[in-house]
């Protein structure tokens, strides 16, 4: 198969019209947002971030992390040497992580899953060059404890939606992969990486680790599962404070008030207790009613002493929600930066006070790379319309108007030709008058016929041109739909296999194109 070469174009995020004012303000380092984050992501900023993280991450935490990863990677048949090297390096005091997180979407879900991971990989590469005395490891935090199955059970491939049906409940990482074999039979062709993972793994967490290992192992990516008793011990003091003081909610609500006063909407909502109770088939909120702690939608309830004892003996049964999970990540990883989409970065702004209260270093917040990938066939259609890729971000009506102006031609008008024909018939009429005046009437009739014929032809040519333009506009509409399915960014809809199937070098092309600290939207065009 011929490997595509790539033309890469960069544009400002704001120019795409697809990102919030919050993100635009952040990338512009607006003064009113600076109180809500630690350091803006420049290469130079990581020197101070390293020094800060050194203070709150010690040898014991590194050993706990190392043991957990060693245990978790027993599910991978043959660990890539680069992955094993990075796991080993995490024991060293000069090794740090760059982390992204995402749900366990089947078949990796939308493209931005891949974009997040590549952003983490490339950030590590750049930091390694700038700070050769340190080691930098890309980490994918698997949201194994998430229980919103409807968000992960489907993906779009070549314009068709595929859905996994199962009656399982609770944390999705613990789901068996039963039922996925039926979905795989519906696919247009076999995809060995995914089939092997889903057929040979005991649960979705292990399957997702196998997939990310296969796709990104050569880049040293580590996938970590926070649903682990050893790792959860680090969260125990937080759980106790949460249960007895409802500590995080007070801090987050204060910050929310400040953000809203600056016209920034809160992205996630805090609860009085930001914890779930977790067992097989069960992940439900913990609420306090009087002097009892209840697990919603169950008969499970505890006294204060009982629930604190439960937290001490079984930390794995307490699952942080969206407010506390970031804190959990930073407690168990020697992490310097968190990479997320626009909404994720914005919700971390709500959390800085919480980190300060627990004296945990607040990571550098990085917007993941975003991209528009234009296949060779779509690039050909675009260039036939004489359009540059940046123009494709215009609203369709604006794009149509731009193209209309671009295609502007003079009005179809055969007036000159009619005048020429009329002059010719006038000469014929003069000749007829001189030879036989009875022929003048016949000449006049023929002249009128010619005049009418030219008028009809004028209308037909105009209509044909309009029809040609309508065809052009239809082609434009089809191209716009291909590049922006359902009117949204491609990365929020299409699956990686839509592009990797026809371009085996899809991931390396992204690795080559993405610059994580440039903060530009990337357009990749197959040539």
């Amino acid at each position: 198969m011929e490997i595509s070469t790539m033309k890469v174009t960069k544009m400002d995020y704001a120019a795409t019209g697809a990102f919030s004012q919050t993100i635009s303000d952040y990338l512009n380092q607006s003064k009113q947002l600076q109180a809500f984050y630690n350091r803006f992501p420049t290469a130079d900023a990581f020197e101070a971030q390293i020094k800060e993280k050194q203070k709150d991450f010690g040898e014991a935490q590194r050993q706990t992390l190392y043991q957990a990863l060693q245990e978790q990677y027993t599910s991978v048949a043959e660990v890539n040497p680069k992955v094993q090297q990075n796991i080993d390096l995490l024991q060293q005091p000069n090794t740090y992580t760059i982390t992204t997180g995402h749900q366990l979407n089947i078949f990796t879900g939308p493209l931005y899953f891949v974009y997040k991971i590549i952003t983490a990989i490339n950030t590590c590469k750049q930091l390694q060059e700038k700070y050769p005395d340190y080691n930098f490891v890309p980490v994918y935090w698997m949201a194994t404890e998430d229980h919103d199955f409807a968000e992960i059970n489907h993906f779009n491939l070549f314009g068709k939606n595929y859905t996994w049906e199962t009656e399982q409940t609770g944390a999705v990482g613990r789901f068996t992969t039963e039922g996925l074999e039926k979905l795989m039979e519906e696919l247009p062709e076999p995809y060995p990486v995914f089939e092997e993972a889903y057929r040979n793994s005991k649960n979705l967490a292990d399957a997702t680790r196998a997939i990310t290992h296969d796709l990104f192992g050569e880049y040293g990516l580590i996938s970590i599962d926070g649903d682990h008793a050893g790792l959860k011990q680090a969260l125990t003091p937080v759980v106790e404070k949460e249960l007895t003081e409802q500590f995080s909610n007070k801090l987050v609500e204060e910050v929310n008030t400040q953000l809203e006063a600056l016209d920034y909407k809160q992205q996630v909502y805090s609860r009085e207790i930001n914890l779930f109770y977790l067992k097989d088939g069960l992940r439900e909120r913990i609420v306090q009613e009087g002097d009892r702690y209840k697990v919603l939608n169950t008969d499970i309830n505890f006294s204060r002493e009982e629930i604190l004892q439960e937290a001490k003996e079984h930390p794995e049964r307490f699952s942080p929600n969206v407010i506390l999970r970031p804190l959990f990540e930073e407690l168990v990883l020697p992490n310097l930066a968190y990479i997320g989409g626009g909404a994720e970065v914005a919700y971390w702004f709500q959390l800085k006070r919480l980190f300060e209260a627990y004296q945990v270093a607040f990571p550098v917040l990085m917007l993941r790379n975003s991209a528009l990938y234009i296949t060779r066939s779509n690039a050909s259609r675009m260039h036939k319309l004489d359009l540059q890729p940046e123009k494709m971000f215009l609203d369709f009506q604006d794009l149509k108007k731009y193209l209309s102006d671009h295609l502007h031609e003079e009005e179809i008008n055969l007036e000159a030709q009619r005048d020429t024909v009329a002059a010719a018939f006038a000469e014929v009429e003069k000749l007829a008058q001189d030879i036989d005046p009875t022929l003048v009437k016949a000449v006049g009739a023929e002249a009128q016929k010619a005049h009418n014929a030219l008028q009809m032809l004028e209308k037909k040519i105009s209509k044909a041109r309009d029809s040609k333009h309508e065809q052009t506009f239809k082609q434009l509409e089809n191209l716009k739909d291909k590049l922006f399915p359902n009117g949204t960014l491609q990365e929020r809809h299409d699956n990686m296999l839509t592009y990797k199937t026809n371009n085996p070098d899809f991931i390396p092309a992204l690795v080559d194109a993405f610059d994580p600290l440039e903060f530009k939207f990337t357009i990749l065009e197959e040539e």
Side-chain angles (χ1 to χ4, degrees):
M1 183 182 289
E2 183 185 350
I3 302 300
S4 302
T5 57
M6 289 288 157
K7 178 185 175 186
V8 177
T9 309
K10 305 288 178 76
M11 63 188 292
D12 288 339
Y13 278 103
T16 69
F19 293 83
S20 70
Q21 187 61 47
T22 307
I23 289 303
S24 293
D25 287 351
Y26 181 53
L27 296 181
N28 291 328
Q29 301 184 57
S30 168
K31 286 185 178 179
Q32 64 182 17
L33 266 179
Q34 288 176 1
F36 303 98
Y37 62 88
N38 196 3
R39 296 180 178 89
F40 188 77
T42 64
D44 289 342
F46 280 89
E47 183 175 4
Q49 192 70 26
I50 289 168
K51 288 177 180 174
E52 185 177 354
K53 192 64 185 179
Q54 279 175 338
K55 296 173 185 174
D56 70 19
F57 204 84
E59 170 67 19
Q61 290 156 292
R62 289 184 179 277
Q63 283 306 313
T64 299
L65 174 62
Y66 173 75
Q67 293 299 332
L69 288 170
Q70 284 288 86
E71 183 183 317
Q72 291 178 7
Y73 269 85
T74 58
S75 71
V76 176
E78 190 175 339
V79 180
N80 188 298
K82 292 180 181 177
V83 174
Q84 187 58 55
Q85 180 185 32
N86 276 347
I87 292 173
D88 293 340
L89 281 173
L90 286 170
Q91 298 178 93
Q92 304 300 321
N94 62 339
T95 300
Y96 295 91
T97 61
I98 302 295
T99 302
T100 191
H102 200 68
Q103 295 161 297
L104 307 187
N105 295 69
I106 61 169
F107 288 80
T108 71
L111 275 166
Y112 56 65
F113 172 85
V114 173
Y115 293 175
K116 280 182 168 184
I117 288 174
I118 293 174
T119 306
I121 289 166
N122 282 1
T123 303
C124 288
K125 277 188 188 176
Q126 289 194 12
L127 292 178
Q128 196 67 65
E129 289 174 10
K130 186 167 180 65
Y131 301 102
D133 292 338
Y134 297 95
N135 308 303
F136 302 92
V137 174
V139 169
Y140 160 46
W141 182 282
M142 302 192 292
T144 56
E145 295 178 32
D146 194 279
H147 62 268
D148 197 340
F149 180 62
E151 288 191 2
I152 69 152
N153 73 336
H154 61 280
F155 68 102
N156 290 286
L157 177 60
F158 300 122
K160 183 178 177 183
N161 189 71
Y162 295 90
T163 303
W164 174 26
E165 304 289 351
T166 181
E167 297 300 316
Q168 298 176 79
T169 58
V172 296
R174 300 185 182 191
F175 282 19
T176 71
T177 56
E178 182 184 0
L180 273 168
E181 68 281 350
K182 183 181 176 184
L183 183 150
M184 288 187 284
E185 289 168 5
E186 299 172 13
L187 298 178
E189 61 180 274
Y191 296 101
V193 169
F194 296 92
E195 292 199 6
E196 188 175 325
Y198 291 134
R199 292 186 194 281
N200 299 331
S201 300
K202 70 176 183 180
N203 57 36
L204 189 59
D206 286 354
T208 305
R209 182 184 299 105
I211 291 163
T212 52
H213 181 267
D214 198 288
L215 295 175
F216 303 105
E218 66 180 285
Y219 301 104
L221 177 77
I222 290 173
S223 298
I224 186 169
D225 181 358
D227 186 7
H228 183 277
L231 295 175
K232 282 284 180 71
Q233 286 179 352
L235 195 64
T236 301
V238 177
V239 170
E240 291 173 351
K241 207 171 182 68
E242 190 70 8
L243 293 170
T244 57
E245 299 179 34
Q246 300 175 356
F247 189 67
S248 64
N249 185 53
K250 296 170 188 173
L251 294 172
V252 172
E253 287 295 339
E254 287 174 14
V255 176
N256 288 347
T257 301
Q258 294 167 6
L259 285 166
E260 285 172 3
L262 297 169
D263 288 331
Y264 295 118
K265 294 178 183 175
Q266 57 180 309
Q267 297 292 319
V268 292
Y269 293 93
S270 178
R271 305 281 189 182
E272 289 183 349
I273 296 176
N274 288 301
L275 292 169
F276 290 91
Y277 191 68
L278 180 67
K279 281 189 172 181
D280 285 343
L282 172 72
R283 187 180 187 243
E284 291 284 354
R285 279 176 52 211
I286 299 170
V287 296
Q288 186 175 3
E289 295 181 5
D291 59 355
R292 304 294 293 180
Y293 291 86
K294 296 187 176 181
V295 178
L296 288 182
N297 302 313
T298 72
D299 295 328
I300 303 170
N301 64 91
F302 304 90
S303 68
R304 177 185 169 113
E305 292 72 23
E306 288 168 344
I307 201 166
L308 291 175
Q309 188 66 22
E310 182 83 347
K312 191 174 181 179
E313 293 177 1
H314 297 285
E316 72 279 5
R317 293 180 184 172
F318 292 82
S319 176
N321 74 353
V322 69
I323 297 293
L324 287 178
R325 190 192 65 240
L327 182 64
F328 178 36
E329 291 172 10
E330 301 301 316
L331 283 168
V332 300
L333 291 170
N335 195 47
L336 301 176
Y338 183 82
I339 292 161
E344 279 181 287
V345 169
Y347 98 66
W348 276 75
F349 293 151
Q350 298 172 235
L351 306 178
K352 185 164 177 271
R353 285 282 305 281
L354 179 63
F355 276 75
E356 289 170 347
Y358 277 106
Q359 297 182 315
V360 175
F362 193 69
V364 173
L365 300 180
M366 291 180 61
L367 183 67
R368 65 169 171 80
N369 283 105
S370 281
L372 174 66
Y373 189 91
I374 306 176
T375 62
R376 186 182 286 119
S377 59
N378 285 333
S380 175
R381 293 184 185 102
M382 185 175 69
H383 292 303
K384 279 180 183 174
L385 294 170
D386 201 20
L387 289 169
Q388 293 304 310
E390 297 94 328
K391 291 294 181 189
M392 296 308 301
F393 287 87
L394 289 172
D395 172 81
F396 179 67
Q397 291 305 321
D398 292 336
L399 186 55
K400 188 176 175 182
K401 183 178 184 304
Y402 170 82
L403 194 58
S404 295
D405 295 341
H406 199 58
L407 292 170
H408 178 70
E409 298 165 5
E410 290 184 14
E411 192 68 30
I412 301 294
N413 189 320
L414 301 184
E415 190 66 39
Q417 289 79 3
R418 281 196 293 271
D419 289 345
T420 301
V421 170
F425 271 102
E427 290 181 15
V428 174
E429 186 178 320
K430 187 170 182 283
L431 187 62
Q433 180 71 40
D434 291 342
I435 296 173
D436 183 355
T438 62
L439 293 175
V440 170
K441 193 174 181 181
V443 173
E446 292 302 324
Q448 188 61 46
K449 278 186 189 177
H451 179 84
N452 293 344
L454 284 171
Q455 275 194 320
M456 188 183 302
L457 285 169
E458 184 180 85
K459 288 178 181 176
K460 283 186 174 181
I461 293 169
S462 291
K463 189 175 179 181
R465 189 186 70 173
D466 290 345
S467 176
K468 181 184 174 185
H469 284 185
E470 279 306 312
Q471 196 174 15
T472 299
F473 293 143
K474 188 65 181 171
Q475 291 169 354
L476 177 66
E477 186 176 18
N478 289 338
L479 177 61
K480 181 79 171 169
D481 287 344
K482 287 273 188 186
L483 298 182
F484 297 87
N486 293 342
T488 189
L489 286 181
Q490 181 192 72
E491 64 188 40
R492 298 173 187 170
H493 181 273
D494 290 350
N495 180 264
M496 168 193 72
L497 291 172
T498 302
Y499 305 97
K500 193 175 187 299
T501 300
N502 296 317
N503 180 9
D505 266 5
F506 177 68
I507 287 175
L510 295 173
V511 171
D512 287 344
F514 283 177
D515 183 339
L517 296 173
E518 185 181 29
F519 302 113
K520 297 279 188 181
F521 189 97
T522 306
I523 301 169
L524 294 97
E525 192 179 331
E526 288 184 0
E527 295 183 312

